[in-house]
Structure formats: structure tokens, C-alpha cells
Amino acid sequence: MKNLLLIAAMCLGSLLPAHAQKSEDIMIQGSEGKLSAILQTPVMKKGQKVRLAVICHGFGSNKERPLLKAIADSLQDKGIASIRFDFAGCGKSEGKFEDMTVPQQIEDAKNVIAYAEGLDWTGDISIVGHSQGGVVASMVAGQLKGGIRSVALCAPAAVLRDDALRGNTQGANYDPFHLPEYVEMHRGNKLGRAYFLTAQTLPIYETASQYEGPVFIAHGTWDKVVPYTYSERYKQNYKNCELVLMQGVDHSFSNEVARAKTAGKVAEFIRKH
């Protein structure tokens, strides 16, 4: 009798309607206005709980970067949903780039996580970040601790604090002890004093090390923006961390083969953990 009931339950489960794999544009309330985001979901059966990863882009970048799209696609193929979004003042989000700071981006990421938690099908939540987004992801995980299931960082830019102390950020030079109201960046944008002031005292490793869950880090050995030694220090500060140094890979993971390999490693790590 029990076997018959089990078979009936399995058959009923297979008949439940499934939501197709999809990608949709959404807007999420952030710290400084609405954040433009893309929600990618795998095939889901009615009532099923699905894991989700929040994906954070780097300095002056956006959610459409090839590496982030590759990670989202790899996650989706493994049955994991994702939200990749533009920080305030970046991409299609509201706000001004000149007002951007890392603490502000941390709040943006937390708002996206809160949105994800409000979805009725969301299971565990992981966080992924590239470059400055990696710093944000690591600090968010350190602050939320048990609220994050796993963390994946790609070339996390912990160098940003040292850059602010030296007076050279993304190639723009300034006096770190007498900061102007704005610093002109080489990409045609300007960045406000608050960014540099907060960066100079940002407790990156101290905050990140508060997270005790599983961490994966990928960093290219040809990275000229963020030396891979900063990821080696991350590994020293974490209790449960896997660091993969990608030979001959640059900061943007611009090589298509290396990018696909990295995306696959990130997705498999999140699936496994």
C-alpha cells in the first residue's frame, strides 16, 4: 500500500505545472532610487523552492558585463536563479555616479537581497561579486553572516582602500590628504569626495572575515588592476575558502574561454554548497 501511495505521489509531482526558464527586467528600490535588475530563473515546478544568487558588478560598470551574464546563464543551467543589478548611478539605475560610495553599494546589495527574500519561491541566497562588487559582496556577507549561504568573488578589488590612500583610483590622480569636492575620472565621469574618504577607512578584510560560510575566489594572474595578492589575503582571512588563480587571465576575464571556465566554476561552487 505504501509503495502505491509513493508511486501516486511521484506521478502527481510530475504533473505539477512547471514555470519555464526565463529572464525578466525588474526594478528594485535601492538606497538612492530604483535599481535596474534582471531576474533569471530556471525551470521551476509549482511550490518548489529554488536557490538564488545576487550578482554585483564592479566599479563604474553595469549588470551587462560578459562575465556576469555568463555566470547568470551558468547558474540558470544548474537550476539556480539569479538577480544581477546596476548599482545606483550605474547602468540603467537611478542616482548619480558622482554620489557613489562602497557603503552605499553595500546598502543597495542588501536591498536586492531583501527583495529576493520576499519572493515566495526563494530558498537559500548566495552572493557573487566582481572587482569592487566583490568587495561589496564580501562585506555584505560579513555583515549578514548566516543570511548568506555561500560567497563567490571574482578579482575582488580590496586594493581600492590602498588606492584611496595613495591618491590614485582607476588611473585618476589626486591629493589623498586634501581631497577636492570631485575627482575627474578617465572614463568621463566624476566621483565625489565621499567615495575616497570612506574608501580610505573601509574595513574590508575585517568585515569580510566575519563570514564563516564557504567562499570561492577566482583571480587572474595577469590582473593589472587588482594584483592577485589581494585575493591571497582574502583566503588567509577566511576559514572556509577556495582560491583559484587563473593563469594568464586579466581583470575583466576578457578571454572567452577563461570567462566561461570561471562562470562554470562559480556556478558549480554555488550548486555544490
Coordinates of all heavy atoms in Angstrom, one line a residue, residues 180-248:
P180 N 39.5 67.2 -3.2 CA 38.6 68.2 -3.8 C 37.2 67.7 -3.7 O 36.9 66.5 -3.3 CB 39.0 68.2 -5.3 CG 39.6 66.8 -5.6 CD 40.2 66.4 -4.3
E181 N 36.2 68.5 -4.0 CA 34.8 68.1 -4.0 C 34.6 66.9 -4.9 O 33.8 66.0 -4.6 CB 33.9 69.3 -4.3 CG 32.5 69.0 -4.2 CD 31.6 70.1 -4.5 OE1 32.1 71.2 -4.8 OE2 30.3 70.0 -4.4
Y182 N 35.2 67.0 -6.1 CA 35.0 65.9 -7.1 C 36.4 65.6 -7.7 O 37.3 66.5 -7.8 CB 34.1 66.3 -8.2 CG 32.7 66.6 -7.7 CD1 32.2 67.9 -7.6 CD2 31.8 65.5 -7.5 CE1 30.9 68.1 -7.2 CE2 30.5 65.7 -7.0 CZ 30.0 67.0 -6.9 OH 28.8 67.2 -6.5
V183 N 36.6 64.4 -8.1 CA 37.8 63.9 -8.8 C 37.3 63.5 -10.2 O 36.4 62.7 -10.4 CB 38.5 62.8 -8.1 CG1 39.6 62.2 -9.0 CG2 39.0 63.2 -6.8
E184 N 37.9 64.1 -11.2 CA 37.6 63.7 -12.6 C 38.2 62.3 -13.0 O 39.4 62.1 -12.8 CB 38.1 64.8 -13.6 CG 37.5 66.1 -13.4 CD 36.1 66.2 -13.9 OE1 35.7 65.3 -14.7 OE2 35.4 67.1 -13.4
M185 N 37.4 61.4 -13.4 CA 37.8 60.1 -13.7 C 38.1 60.0 -15.2 O 37.5 60.8 -16.0 CB 36.8 59.0 -13.3 CG 36.3 59.1 -11.9 SD 37.7 59.0 -10.7 CE 38.2 57.3 -10.9
H186 N 38.9 59.1 -15.7 CA 39.3 59.0 -17.1 C 38.2 58.5 -18.0 O 38.3 58.6 -19.2 CB 40.5 58.1 -17.2 CG 41.8 58.6 -16.6 ND1 42.2 59.9 -16.9 CD2 42.7 58.2 -15.7 CE1 43.4 60.2 -16.3 NE2 43.6 59.1 -15.5
R187 N 37.1 57.9 -17.4 CA 36.0 57.5 -18.3 C 35.0 58.6 -18.5 O 34.0 58.4 -19.1 CB 35.3 56.3 -17.6 CG 36.2 55.1 -17.4 CD 35.4 54.0 -16.7 NE 36.2 52.8 -16.5 CZ 35.8 51.7 -15.8 NH1 34.5 51.7 -15.4 NH2 36.6 50.7 -15.7
G188 N 35.4 59.8 -18.1 CA 34.5 61.0 -18.4 C 33.5 61.3 -17.3 O 32.8 62.2 -17.3
N189 N 33.6 60.4 -16.2 CA 32.7 60.7 -15.0 C 33.5 61.4 -14.0 O 34.8 61.5 -14.0 CB 32.2 59.3 -14.5 CG 31.3 58.6 -15.4 OD1 30.5 59.2 -16.0 ND2 31.5 57.3 -15.5
K190 N 32.8 61.9 -13.0 CA 33.5 62.5 -11.8 C 33.0 61.8 -10.6 O 31.8 61.3 -10.6 CB 33.3 64.0 -11.7 CG 31.8 64.5 -11.6 CD 31.8 66.0 -11.6 CE 30.3 66.5 -11.5 NZ 30.2 67.9 -11.5
L191 N 33.8 61.7 -9.6 CA 33.5 61.0 -8.4 C 33.6 61.9 -7.2 O 34.6 62.6 -7.1 CB 34.4 59.8 -8.2 CG 33.9 58.6 -7.3 CD1 32.5 58.2 -7.6 CD2 34.9 57.4 -7.5
G192 N 32.7 61.9 -6.3 CA 32.7 62.8 -5.1 C 33.6 62.5 -4.0 O 34.1 61.3 -3.9
R193 N 34.0 63.4 -3.2 CA 34.9 63.3 -2.1 C 34.5 62.1 -1.2 O 35.4 61.4 -0.7 CB 35.0 64.6 -1.3 CG 35.9 64.5 -0.1 CD 35.8 65.7 0.8 NE 36.2 67.0 0.1 CZ 35.3 68.0 -0.1 NH1 34.0 67.9 0.3 NH2 35.7 69.1 -0.7
A194 N 33.2 61.9 -1.0 CA 32.8 60.9 0.0 C 33.3 59.5 -0.4 O 33.6 58.7 0.5 CB 31.3 60.9 0.0
Y195 N 33.4 59.2 -1.7 CA 33.9 57.9 -2.1 C 35.3 57.7 -1.6 O 35.6 56.6 -1.0 CB 33.9 57.8 -3.7 CG 34.6 56.5 -4.1 CD1 33.8 55.3 -4.2 CD2 35.9 56.4 -4.4 CE1 34.4 54.1 -4.6 CE2 36.5 55.2 -4.7 CZ 35.7 54.1 -4.8 OH 36.3 52.8 -5.2
F196 N 36.2 58.6 -1.7 CA 37.6 58.5 -1.3 C 37.7 58.5 0.2 O 38.5 57.7 0.8 CB 38.4 59.5 -2.0 CG 38.2 59.6 -3.4 CD1 37.4 60.5 -4.0 CD2 38.9 58.7 -4.3 CE1 37.2 60.6 -5.4 CE2 38.7 58.7 -5.6 CZ 37.9 59.7 -6.2
L197 N 37.0 59.3 0.9 CA 37.0 59.4 2.3 C 36.6 58.1 3.0 O 37.2 57.5 3.9 CB 36.1 60.5 2.9 CG 36.7 61.9 2.7 CD1 35.6 63.0 3.1 CD2 38.0 62.1 3.4
T198 N 35.5 57.5 2.5 CA 35.0 56.2 3.0 C 36.0 55.1 2.6 O 36.2 54.2 3.4 CB 33.6 55.9 2.5 OG1 33.6 56.0 1.1 CG2 32.6 56.9 3.1
A199 N 36.5 55.1 1.4 CA 37.4 54.1 0.9 C 38.7 54.0 1.8 O 39.2 52.9 2.0 CB 37.8 54.3 -0.5
Q200 N 39.2 55.2 2.2 CA 40.4 55.2 3.0 C 40.3 54.5 4.3 O 41.4 54.1 4.9 CB 40.8 56.7 3.2 CG 41.3 57.4 1.9 CD 41.6 58.8 2.2 OE1 41.2 59.4 3.2 NE2 42.2 59.5 1.2
T201 N 39.1 54.4 4.9 CA 39.0 53.7 6.2 C 38.1 52.5 6.1 O 37.6 52.0 7.1 CB 38.4 54.7 7.2 OG1 37.1 55.2 6.7 CG2 39.3 55.9 7.4
L202 N 37.9 52.0 4.9 CA 36.9 50.9 4.7 C 37.5 49.6 5.3 O 38.6 49.1 5.0 CB 36.7 50.7 3.2 CG 35.4 49.9 2.8 CD1 34.2 50.7 3.3 CD2 35.4 49.7 1.3
P203 N 36.8 49.0 6.3 CA 37.3 47.7 7.0 C 37.0 46.5 6.1 O 36.1 45.7 6.5 CB 36.6 47.7 8.3 CG 35.2 48.4 8.0 CD 35.6 49.4 6.9
I204 N 37.6 46.4 5.0 CA 37.3 45.3 4.0 C 37.5 43.9 4.6 O 36.5 43.1 4.8 CB 38.1 45.5 2.7 CG1 37.7 46.8 2.1 CG2 37.7 44.3 1.8 CD1 38.6 47.2 0.9
Y205 N 38.7 43.6 4.9 CA 39.0 42.3 5.4 C 38.4 42.0 6.8 O 38.0 40.9 7.1 CB 40.6 42.0 5.4 CG 41.2 42.0 4.1 CD1 42.1 43.0 3.7 CD2 40.9 41.0 3.1 CE1 42.7 43.0 2.5 CE2 41.5 41.0 1.9 CZ 42.4 42.0 1.6 OH 43.0 42.0 0.3
E206 N 38.4 43.0 7.6 CA 37.9 42.9 9.0 C 36.4 42.5 8.9 O 36.0 41.6 9.7 CB 38.0 44.2 9.8 CG 39.5 44.6 10.0 CD 40.1 45.4 8.9 OE1 39.5 45.4 7.8 OE2 41.1 46.1 9.1
T207 N 35.7 43.1 8.0 CA 34.2 42.8 7.9 C 34.0 41.5 7.2 O 33.2 40.6 7.6 CB 33.5 43.9 7.1 OG1 33.7 45.2 7.8 CG2 32.0 43.6 7.0
A208 N 34.8 41.3 6.1 CA 34.6 40.0 5.3 C 34.9 38.8 6.2 O 34.2 37.8 6.0 CB 35.5 40.0 4.1
S209 N 35.8 38.9 7.0 CA 36.2 37.7 7.8 C 35.2 37.3 8.8 O 35.3 36.2 9.4 CB 37.6 38.0 8.6 OG 37.4 39.0 9.5
Q210 N 34.1 38.1 9.0 CA 33.0 37.7 9.9 C 32.2 36.6 9.3 O 31.4 36.0 10.0 CB 32.2 39.0 10.3 CG 32.9 40.1 11.0 CD 33.5 39.6 12.3 OE1 32.8 39.1 13.2 NE2 34.8 39.8 12.5
Y211 N 32.3 36.5 8.0 CA 31.5 35.4 7.4 C 32.3 34.1 7.5 O 33.5 34.0 7.2 CB 31.3 35.7 5.9 CG 30.6 34.7 5.1 CD1 29.2 34.5 5.3 CD2 31.2 33.8 4.3 CE1 28.5 33.6 4.6 CE2 30.5 32.9 3.5 CZ 29.2 32.7 3.7 OH 28.5 31.8 3.1
E212 N 31.6 33.0 7.9 CA 32.2 31.8 8.2 C 31.8 30.7 7.3 O 32.2 29.5 7.4 CB 32.0 31.3 9.7 CG 32.6 32.3 10.7 CD 32.4 31.9 12.1 OE1 31.7 30.8 12.3 OE2 33.0 32.5 13.0
G213 N 30.9 31.0 6.3 CA 30.5 30.0 5.3 C 31.5 29.8 4.2 O 32.6 30.3 4.2
P214 N 31.1 29.0 3.2 CA 32.0 28.6 2.1 C 32.2 29.8 1.2 O 31.3 30.5 0.8 CB 31.3 27.5 1.4 CG 29.9 27.6 1.8 CD 29.8 28.2 3.1
V215 N 33.5 30.0 0.7 CA 33.8 31.1 -0.2 C 34.7 30.5 -1.3 O 35.5 29.7 -1.1 CB 34.7 32.2 0.6 CG1 35.1 33.3 -0.4 CG2 33.9 32.7 1.8
F216 N 34.4 31.0 -2.5 CA 35.2 30.7 -3.7 C 35.7 32.0 -4.3 O 35.0 33.0 -4.4 CB 34.3 30.0 -4.7 CG 35.0 29.8 -6.0 CD1 35.9 28.7 -6.2 CD2 34.8 30.6 -7.1 CE1 36.6 28.5 -7.4 CE2 35.5 30.4 -8.3 CZ 36.4 29.3 -8.5
I217 N 37.0 32.0 -4.6 CA 37.6 33.2 -5.2 C 38.4 32.8 -6.5 O 39.1 31.8 -6.5 CB 38.6 33.9 -4.3 CG1 37.9 34.3 -3.0 CG2 39.2 35.2 -4.9 CD1 38.9 34.9 -1.9
A218 N 38.1 33.5 -7.6 CA 38.8 33.3 -8.8 C 39.6 34.6 -9.2 O 38.9 35.7 -9.1 CB 37.9 33.0 -10.0
H219 N 40.8 34.6 -9.5 CA 41.6 35.8 -9.8 C 42.7 35.5 -10.8 O 43.3 34.4 -10.8 CB 42.3 36.3 -8.5 CG 42.5 37.7 -8.5 ND1 42.2 38.5 -7.4 CD2 43.0 38.6 -9.4 CE1 42.5 39.8 -7.7 NE2 43.0 39.8 -8.9
G220 N 42.8 36.4 -11.8 CA 43.7 36.2 -12.9 C 45.1 36.6 -12.5 O 45.3 37.6 -11.8
T221 N 46.1 35.9 -13.0 CA 47.5 36.2 -12.7 C 48.0 37.4 -13.5 O 49.0 38.0 -13.2 CB 48.4 35.0 -12.9 OG1 48.3 34.6 -14.3 CG2 48.0 33.8 -12.0
W222 N 47.2 37.8 -14.6 CA 47.6 38.9 -15.4 C 46.8 40.1 -15.1 O 46.7 41.1 -15.8 CB 47.4 38.6 -16.9 CG 48.5 37.7 -17.4 CD1 49.5 37.1 -16.7 CD2 48.7 37.4 -18.8 NE1 50.3 36.3 -17.6 CE2 49.9 36.5 -18.9 CE3 48.1 37.7 -20.0 CZ2 50.3 36.0 -20.0 CZ3 48.6 37.1 -21.2 CH2 49.7 36.3 -21.2
D223 N 46.2 40.1 -13.9 CA 45.3 41.3 -13.5 C 46.2 42.5 -13.1 O 47.0 42.4 -12.1 CB 44.5 40.9 -12.3 CG 43.4 41.9 -11.9 OD1 43.6 43.1 -12.3 OD2 42.4 41.5 -11.3
K224 N 46.1 43.5 -13.9 CA 46.9 44.7 -13.7 C 46.2 45.8 -12.9 O 46.7 46.8 -12.5 CB 47.4 45.3 -15.0 CG 48.4 44.4 -15.8 CD 48.8 45.0 -17.1 CE 49.8 44.1 -17.8 NZ 50.3 44.7 -19.1
V225 N 44.9 45.5 -12.6 CA 44.1 46.5 -11.9 C 44.1 46.1 -10.4 O 44.3 47.0 -9.5 CB 42.6 46.5 -12.4 CG1 41.8 47.4 -11.6 CG2 42.6 46.9 -13.9
V226 N 43.9 44.8 -10.1 CA 44.0 44.3 -8.7 C 44.9 43.2 -8.7 O 44.6 42.1 -9.1 CB 42.6 43.9 -8.3 CG1 42.6 43.4 -6.8 CG2 41.5 45.0 -8.4
P227 N 46.1 43.3 -8.1 CA 47.0 42.2 -8.0 C 46.4 41.0 -7.3 O 45.6 41.2 -6.3 CB 48.2 42.8 -7.2 CG 48.2 44.2 -7.5 CD 46.7 44.6 -7.6
Y228 N 46.7 39.8 -7.7 CA 46.0 38.6 -7.1 C 46.5 38.4 -5.7 O 45.8 37.6 -4.9 CB 46.3 37.4 -7.9 CG 47.8 36.9 -8.0 CD1 48.3 36.2 -7.0 CD2 48.5 37.2 -9.1 CE1 49.7 35.8 -7.0 CE2 49.9 36.8 -9.2 CZ 50.4 36.1 -8.2 OH 51.7 35.7 -8.2
T229 N 47.5 39.1 -5.2 CA 47.9 39.0 -3.8 C 46.8 39.5 -2.9 O 46.7 39.0 -1.7 CB 49.1 39.8 -3.5 OG1 49.0 41.2 -4.0 CG2 50.4 39.2 -4.2
Y230 N 45.9 40.3 -3.4 CA 44.8 40.8 -2.5 C 43.8 39.6 -2.3 O 43.1 39.6 -1.2 CB 44.1 42.0 -3.2 CG 44.9 43.3 -3.0 CD1 45.8 43.7 -3.9 CD2 44.7 44.1 -1.8 CE1 46.6 44.8 -3.7 CE2 45.4 45.2 -1.7 CZ 46.4 45.6 -2.6 OH 47.1 46.7 -2.4
S231 N 43.6 38.8 -3.3 CA 42.8 37.6 -3.1 C 43.5 36.6 -2.2 O 42.8 35.8 -1.4 CB 42.5 37.0 -4.4 OG 41.4 37.7 -5.1
E232 N 44.8 36.5 -2.2 CA 45.5 35.6 -1.3 C 45.3 36.0 0.1 O 45.2 35.2 1.0 CB 47.0 35.6 -1.7 CG 47.3 34.9 -3.0 CD 48.8 34.9 -3.4 OE1 49.5 35.9 -3.0 OE2 49.2 33.9 -4.0
R233 N 45.2 37.4 0.3 CA 45.0 37.8 1.7 C 43.5 37.5 2.1 O 43.3 37.2 3.3 CB 45.2 39.3 1.8 CG 45.0 39.9 3.2 CD 45.4 41.3 3.4 NE 45.0 41.8 4.7 CZ 45.0 43.1 5.1 NH1 45.5 44.0 4.2 NH2 44.7 43.4 6.3
Y234 N 42.6 37.6 1.2 CA 41.2 37.2 1.5 C 41.2 35.8 2.0 O 40.6 35.4 3.0 CB 40.4 37.3 0.2 CG 39.5 38.5 0.1 CD1 39.7 39.4 -0.9 CD2 38.4 38.7 1.0 CE1 38.9 40.5 -1.1 CE2 37.6 39.8 0.9 CZ 37.8 40.7 -0.2 OH 37.0 41.8 -0.3
K235 N 41.9 34.9 1.3 CA 41.9 33.5 1.6 C 42.5 33.3 3.0 O 42.0 32.5 3.8 CB 42.8 32.7 0.6 CG 42.9 31.2 1.0 CD 43.6 30.4 -0.1 CE 43.8 29.0 0.3 NZ 42.6 28.3 0.6
Q236 N 43.5 34.1 3.4 CA 44.1 34.0 4.7 C 43.1 34.4 5.8 O 43.2 33.9 6.9 CB 45.3 34.8 4.8 CG 46.5 34.3 4.0 CD 47.7 35.3 3.9 OE1 47.6 36.4 4.5 NE2 48.7 35.0 3.2
N237 N 42.2 35.3 5.5 CA 41.2 35.8 6.4 C 40.0 34.9 6.6 O 39.3 35.0 7.6 CB 40.8 37.2 6.1 CG 41.8 38.2 6.5 OD1 41.8 38.8 7.6 ND2 42.8 38.5 5.7
Y238 N 39.7 34.1 5.6 CA 38.5 33.2 5.6 C 38.8 31.9 6.2 O 40.0 31.4 6.1 CB 38.0 33.0 4.2 CG 37.1 34.1 3.7 CD1 37.5 34.7 2.4 CD2 36.0 34.6 4.4 CE1 36.7 35.8 1.9 CE2 35.3 35.7 3.8 CZ 35.6 36.2 2.6 OH 34.8 37.3 2.1
K239 N 37.8 31.3 6.9 CA 38.0 30.0 7.5 C 37.7 28.8 6.5 O 38.1 27.7 6.7 CB 37.1 29.8 8.7 CG 37.4 30.8 9.8 CD 36.5 30.7 11.0 CE 36.8 31.7 12.1 NZ 35.9 31.5 13.3
N240 N 36.9 29.1 5.5 CA 36.5 28.1 4.5 C 36.5 28.7 3.1 O 35.5 29.1 2.6 CB 35.1 27.6 4.9 CG 34.6 26.5 4.1 OD1 35.3 25.9 3.2 ND2 33.3 26.2 4.2
C241 N 37.7 28.7 2.5 CA 37.9 29.4 1.2 C 38.7 28.6 0.2 O 39.7 28.0 0.6 CB 38.5 30.7 1.5 SG 38.8 31.7 0.0
E242 N 38.2 28.6 -1.0 CA 38.9 28.0 -2.1 C 39.3 29.1 -3.1 O 38.5 29.9 -3.5 CB 38.1 27.0 -2.9 CG 38.7 26.4 -4.1 CD 37.8 25.6 -5.0 OE1 36.6 25.4 -4.6 OE2 38.2 25.1 -6.0
L243 N 40.6 29.3 -3.3 CA 41.2 30.3 -4.2 C 41.7 29.6 -5.5 O 42.6 28.7 -5.4 CB 42.2 31.1 -3.5 CG 43.1 32.0 -4.4 CD1 42.2 33.1 -5.1 CD2 44.2 32.7 -3.6
V244 N 41.2 30.0 -6.6 CA 41.8 29.5 -7.9 C 42.4 30.7 -8.6 O 41.7 31.7 -9.0 CB 40.6 28.9 -8.8 CG1 41.2 28.5 -10.1 CG2 40.0 27.7 -8.1
L245 N 43.7 30.6 -8.9 CA 44.4 31.6 -9.7 C 44.4 31.2 -11.1 O 44.8 30.1 -11.5 CB 45.9 31.7 -9.2 CG 46.1 32.2 -7.8 CD1 47.5 32.3 -7.4 CD2 45.4 33.6 -7.6
M246 N 43.8 32.0 -12.0 CA 43.6 31.7 -13.4 C 44.8 32.3 -14.2 O 45.1 33.5 -14.3 CB 42.3 32.4 -13.9 CG 41.1 32.2 -13.0 SD 40.5 30.5 -13.1 CE 39.8 30.5 -14.8
Q247 N 45.6 31.3 -14.7 CA 46.9 31.7 -15.4 C 46.6 32.5 -16.6 O 45.8 32.1 -17.5 CB 47.7 30.4 -15.7 CG 48.1 29.7 -14.4 CD 49.0 30.5 -13.5 OE1 49.9 31.2 -14.0 NE2 48.8 30.4 -12.2
G248 N 47.2 33.6 -16.8 CA 47.1 34.4 -18.0 C 45.8 35.2 -18.2 O 45.5 35.6 -19.3

